Amino acid sequence: MDEPSNPYLPLLSRTAQGDEGAFAQLYRATSGKLYAVSLQMLHRQDWAEDVVQEAFVRIWHNAGEYQSEKGTVLSWMISIARYRALDMLRAAKSRRETSEEEGPTQEDPHSPEVALYQKRERADIDDCMDLLEGSQRHAIHLAYFLGLTHFEVCNRLASPLGSVKSWIRRGLERLKRCLEP
């Protein structure tokens, strides 16, 4: 069934049947969106590219497991990318904690500068987040910092999907204006 709100369903259905051409079309149509979500979460192009690649491998292997009653194809695909990005962040945090226990290394002479830049960037984001309305701030925090899907945010906030999407969209627009030089 090809619903207007779920335009990628035919491509995913054909992908589930092993149609490589449909999978290539699905990739071309959605990879930019998955990359944008991954980059937003990871702030590193190389990691975001890895997440997109791994997400599409999972999409290829799990296309038959998609359930339309749980959301659109695109939201399902984005959740796969988000979970992979969260896994990558957890692994990076674990590696940082392990390397901190071992002491500083000579291999990365720029790490203090990078850390300072990241700290300043995080402070700017925190300052801008503080300017948002409570519902916008909470929804964005759940979706982008904790990696929850819109449906999970709805459940957590006990709010309708339209409201959550609206809060996130308007909040992101305000964040963008605040962070622009």
Side-chain angles (χ1 to χ4, degrees):
M1 183 162 111
D2 183 14
E3 300 173 20
S5 64
N6 208 352
Y8 306 115
L9 185 57
L11 293 174
L12 186 67
S13 297
R14 290 180 18 223
T15 297
Q17 297 168 1
D19 184 337
E20 292 177 11
F23 181 67
Q25 286 181 296
L26 186 63
Y27 178 87
R28 283 191 299 274
T30 60
S31 60
K33 293 172 180 72
L34 270 63
Y35 177 77
V37 168
S38 301
L39 186 60
Q40 176 71 30
M41 291 178 70
L42 299 168
H43 304 288
R44 284 191 52 174
Q45 291 178 353
D46 56 338
W47 288 7
E49 290 167 359
D50 288 346
V51 162
V52 171
Q53 181 178 356
E54 291 177 26
F56 274 98
V57 168
R58 290 186 179 169
I59 290 164
W60 172 258
H61 290 292
N62 299 318
E65 296 177 15
Y66 167 73
Q67 298 172 4
S68 61
E69 62 274 1
K70 292 188 176 183
T72 66
V73 169
L74 185 59
S75 65
W76 176 74
M77 293 172 67
I78 287 173
S79 70
I80 290 171
R82 278 186 180 158
Y83 286 121
R84 181 60 199 121
L86 288 172
D87 289 344
M88 192 171 279
L89 287 171
R90 280 192 285 271
K93 181 180 178 188
S94 176
R95 283 192 305 271
R96 273 195 314 272
E97 289 171 355
T98 301
S99 67
E100 286 173 3
E101 291 169 7
E102 296 168 358
T105 64
Q106 297 293 328
E107 296 176 12
D108 188 9
H110 301 292
S111 63
E113 291 86 359
V114 170
L116 179 61
Y117 176 78
Q118 289 173 339
K119 194 173 191 177
R120 285 183 183 160
E121 185 178 69
R122 180 64 195 192
D124 290 344
I125 291 171
D126 289 343
D127 290 344
C128 290
M129 286 287 288
D130 289 341
L131 299 175
L132 298 178
E133 297 172 16
S135 55
Q136 291 174 345
R137 182 175 49 253
H138 201 181
I140 289 172
H141 176 76
L142 292 171
Y144 287 93
F145 296 105
L146 299 182
L148 301 182
T149 66
H150 285 134
F151 293 107
E152 291 168 332
V153 174
C154 290
N155 290 334
R156 185 77 68 91
L157 298 179
S159 299
L161 180 62
S163 297
V164 166
K165 286 184 173 183
S166 181
W167 293 335
I168 291 173
R169 187 185 71 252
R170 286 192 308 245
L172 289 175
E173 288 169 358
R174 288 187 67 189
L175 278 177
K176 181 181 176 189
R177 284 193 305 270
C178 178
L179 292 169
E180 287 176 343

